[in-house]
DNA sequence: CCATTTTAGTTTCGTTTGAAACTGTTGCAA
DNA sequence: TTGCAACAGTTTCAAACGAAACTAAAATGG
């Protein structure tokens, strides 16, 4: 069932009486729901990774993109994992310490370091991928086949829109001085 | 279109050759997609809140649940916002500093503090709710009416399942010693 | 060529986080 | 009662984070 939509009456700015302010219920607020769901899922998975392999989510992501045996630069990893370069840099230095990754500076461009997984990391990859996919399956088991396809579509559309809105410069017009009582 | 499902061949544990390991593409991996989407959305919204009102997401959530003018304890807030008590405690102390919240210790139970928004915070509530709903609308504008209903259903089902899986005790059987090369 | 800008990645710094320990209060039970 | 467990909330400490400054190498262009 479509959620009952709240009415959006104009709000009087100084109202201490909450009566005419449109209500917002967090539990029906999309950003909140997404955040809670993503959190639950990530957290569960992170505990699994941590317990079994002692790695964090950033490290797992790097293993995931390099798991095919490819070699790439930190920048490429950042793009593919949607992490920023600082996060990638730190994860890589942790992985160097635990010899999960190999770094050799590029031949043609000495700024770019070529990164490859070590056999140790590849062994983790081989074990962690089935684990991750199993967990994903367990979650999506809550859905019918049709619903899984819907989910795929919806997530893509929402991400595209969210990206678009995120890229939009801050609404300058609404820039007013902070609220005072 | 339903995402092409990856085959799940058995993996040889020590394989340094990546050939027979089931592939995992982050961009199709549900936990990753959820995390990126939730992140994009939260981040965009957080910047809006911060710019306009100088508040963080935890503070916004507290304002959201107390915005009706109700009074409740920190514990209740924690439940309703899905934040843990530490996060709530810290947000409240920030809000006390900026006089967004009022705390009076309970009469019958002096452990529980009764929390209420100040008029200043209610004014923020009145302004922020339309902003938040507008952003939500902008995001969901990417979807048809049908799709919005689907989204509601899917998120509820996924959250229920994720909660269930999170509550499940860690798979003890899989507890093996860390991977060594 | 040399000076400037751009790019790749790292470091730093102040803040936020999460887990665990802690304080104070209430409820329960011998 | 008083002694102990459970509860509400806070503090502490170490790890993780993000933004911005920084270093080093390549590309640009006058």
């Amino acid at each position: 069932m479509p959620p009952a939509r709240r009415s959006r009456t104009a709000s009087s700015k100084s109202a201490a009486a909450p009566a005419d302010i449109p209500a917002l219920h967090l539990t029906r607020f999309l950003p909140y729901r997404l955040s809670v769901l993503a959190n639950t899922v990530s957290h569960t998975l992170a505990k699994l990774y941590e317990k079994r392999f002692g790695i964090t989510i950033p490290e797992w992501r790097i293993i995931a993109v390099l798991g095919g045996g490819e070699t790439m630069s930190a920048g490429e990893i950042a793009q593919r994992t949607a992490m920023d370069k600082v996060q990638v840099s730190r994860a890589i230095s942790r992985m160097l310490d635990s010899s999960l990754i190999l770094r050799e500076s590029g031949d043609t461009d000495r700024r770019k370091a070529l990164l490859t997984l070590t056999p140790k990391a590849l062994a983790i990859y081989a074990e962690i991928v089935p684990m991750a996919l199993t967990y994903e399956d367990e979650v999506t088991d809550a859905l019918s086949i049709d619903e899984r396809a819907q989910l795929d579509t919806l997530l893509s559309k929402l991400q595209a829109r969210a990206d678009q809105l995120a890229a939009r410069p801050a609404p300058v017009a609404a820039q007013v001085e902070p609220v005072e009582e």
Side-chain angles (χ1 to χ4, degrees), chain A residues 32-134:
Chain A
Y32 170 82
R33 293 175 79 182
L34 284 175
S35 159
V36 173
L37 177 58
N39 234 322
T40 309
V41 167
S42 290
H43 206 257
T44 304
L45 215 36
K47 272 197 304 202
L48 243 53
Y49 298 159
E50 153 62 31
K51 270 223 172 108
R52 181 71 187 82
F53 307 104
I55 63 173
T56 63
I57 288 191
E59 292 165 37
W60 143 247
R61 285 190 181 172
I62 291 176
I63 290 181
V65 300
L66 290 180
E70 298 164 83
T71 286
M72 62 184 79
S73 71
E76 265 175 281
I77 292 178
Q79 280 193 320
R80 299 227 211 166
T81 56
M83 302 192 285
D84 71 62
K85 58 182 183 169
V86 178
Q87 233 178 332
V88 170
S89 170
R90 285 197 269 237
I92 287 174
S93 82
R94 282 195 300 269
M95 292 172 80
L96 284 169
D97 289 347
S98 47
S99 28
L100 291 175
I101 216 167
L102 218 81
R103 171 163 62 186
E104 33 178 347
S105 58
D107 222 36
T108 62
D109 187 336
R110 254 173 315 171
R111 285 171 309 178
K112 294 188 188 177
L114 306 175
L115 302 163
T116 324
L117 294 188
T118 60
K120 181 176 172 186
L122 286 171
I124 290 181
Y125 181 76
E127 240 191 293
I128 204 176
V129 166
M131 246 173 81
L133 294 177
T134 297

